């Protein structure tokens, strides 16, 4: 029976016209001292931001495993305009 392995990318917030950050993932559920090196495939992290203010899904895919049921937790990228970020920081 495969063990559940949760794979999550952190929430990110960027300001309008910023470059995309380097995305990092965390894993929860490895057993017997295993880590991400025990997974096959290639990790793919994508977001379809258009550069406009809004919320965009960050999707994770591409990994394989004979020992784990991979559960990808998809998160949102929050892209704000500079003015609203500035107002938020002042309040």
């Amino acid at each position: 029976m495969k063990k559940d392995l949760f794979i999550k990318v952190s929430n990110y917030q960027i300001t309008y016209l910023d470059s995309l950050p380097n995305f990092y993932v965390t894993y929860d559920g490895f057993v017997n001292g295993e880590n991400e090196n025990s997974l096959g495939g290639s990790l793919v992290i994508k977001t379809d931001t258009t550069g406009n203010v809004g919320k965009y899904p960050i999707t994770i895919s591409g990994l394989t495993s004979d020992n784990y049921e991979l559960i990808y937790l998809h998160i949102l990228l929050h892209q704000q305009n500079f003015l609203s970020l500035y107002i938020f920081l002042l309040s």
Side-chain angles (χ1 to χ4, degrees):
M1 179 176 197
K2 290 184 173 187
K3 298 283 186 185
D4 288 345
L5 178 65
F6 297 91
I7 304 168
K8 175 185 173 186
V9 71
S10 298
N11 282 330
Y12 286 90
Q13 181 173 308
I14 62 174
T15 304
Y16 180 68
L17 297 179
D18 280 354
S19 300
L20 289 176
N22 291 324
F23 295 112
Y24 297 99
V25 297
T26 57
Y27 302 89
D28 184 25
F30 283 116
V31 295
N32 300 325
E34 292 185 314
N35 59 31
E36 61 269 16
N37 294 325
S38 64
L39 301 175
S42 296
L43 180 64
V44 177
I45 304 172
K46 293 180 7 180
T47 186
D48 293 329
T49 178
T50 62
N52 294 320
V53 172
K55 296 178 182 177
Y56 301 92
I58 302 171
T59 58
I60 314 165
S61 63
L63 296 175
T64 61
S65 176
D66 293 332
N67 300 324
Y68 296 97
E69 184 68 38
L70 304 178
I71 302 168
Y72 297 108
L73 303 175
H74 300 266
I75 304 299
L76 292 176
L77 171 72
H78 299 267
Q79 187 159 349
Q80 296 183 330
N81 66 34
F82 179 76
L83 182 58
S84 64
L85 182 61
Y86 181 72
I87 291 169
F88 173 75
L89 291 175
L90 288 178
S91 49

